[in-house]
Amino acid sequence: MSSEPFYKDGLCFSCTQCSHCCKDEPGVVLLSKDDLKLLADWADLTPEQFELVYCRWVEFEDGNEYLSLREKSNYDCIFWENGGCLAYSARPVQCRTYPFWTHVLKDEETWNKRGKECPGINHGAHHTKEEIEEQLNQYKKRNAIHRVWRIR
């Protein structure tokens, strides 16, 4: 028996461009092959050049390293500057689908807790269950670039 998600009647969210999700705290922005190509094209680089300049490999507990955007020394995203994203038109799926991520939509308590950090959560435009699940599916299907770093 499946129960309806807590967001069955939809949720409100409008980005206020506070940039909290892009700066101030450590984070990982995982890239898919499509994300890498889009960003590389935006930067007028090959994917290999883009990776060398703008990316890092991050170790996860699953035994893999995943390709992520670099951060500045103050934890701002490499593309955050002067109150906005330099690569906004080419931003990765992870950035485009925020806050409709698996762990944020885990339950209502988690959603509301994230809302204390993000002023756009529970404010602004109403998103239907279908719209939320479309964003969530894009987030889930993004197939981050990875490589095995540990033999199991």
Side-chain angles (χ1 to χ4, degrees):
M1 178 168 91
S2 68
S3 62
E4 288 284 330
F6 79 92
Y7 56 84
K8 68 181 177 357
D9 296 324
L11 294 169
C12 290
F13 172 74
S14 287
C15 180
T16 65
Q17 298 181 325
C18 75
S19 300
H20 179 72
C21 56
C22 305
K23 61 187 219 69
D24 300 329
E25 294 180 2
V28 175
V29 178
L30 300 178
L31 300 179
S32 69
K33 287 181 181 178
D34 291 339
D35 291 331
L36 181 59
K37 178 162 180 11
L38 188 64
L39 284 163
D41 288 349
W42 168 84
D44 198 25
L45 299 170
T46 67
E48 296 78 15
Q49 291 168 325
F50 185 89
E51 180 184 331
L52 288 171
V53 175
Y54 295 109
C55 298
R56 64 187 171 122
W57 289 95
V58 179
E59 297 177 1
F60 275 69
E61 292 179 5
D62 68 357
N64 294 308
E65 287 182 323
Y66 291 86
L67 192 64
S68 173
L69 289 178
R70 291 186 191 274
E71 295 175 324
K72 298 175 186 174
S73 61
N74 63 354
Y75 301 122
D76 290 358
C77 174
I78 192 76
F79 292 120
W80 192 89
E81 193 171 297
N82 298 325
C85 178
L86 296 175
Y88 189 83
S89 63
R91 67 196 186 283
V93 167
Q94 182 175 328
C95 302
R96 281 186 273 136
T97 58
Y98 182 84
F100 303 120
W101 298 347
T102 310
H103 62 279
V104 177
L105 294 172
K106 177 181 153 192
D107 54 41
E108 191 169 8
E109 180 182 348
T110 304
W111 173 260
N112 289 328
K113 183 177 178 184
R114 184 58 63 100
K116 292 178 182 174
E117 301 168 0
C118 173
I121 290 178
N122 290 326
H123 298 94
H126 182 266
H127 300 269
T128 65
K129 175 185 171 194
E130 292 75 25
E131 291 170 326
I132 293 165
E133 290 182 345
E134 168 66 26
Q135 295 293 304
L136 182 59
N137 286 333
Q138 285 182 37
Y139 175 79
K140 287 178 180 178
K141 292 189 316 188
R142 71 188 191 288
N143 200 15
I145 299 169
H146 69 282
R147 63 184 181 194
V148 175
W149 64 271
R150 180 178 63 205
I151 297 174
R152 296 176 202 229

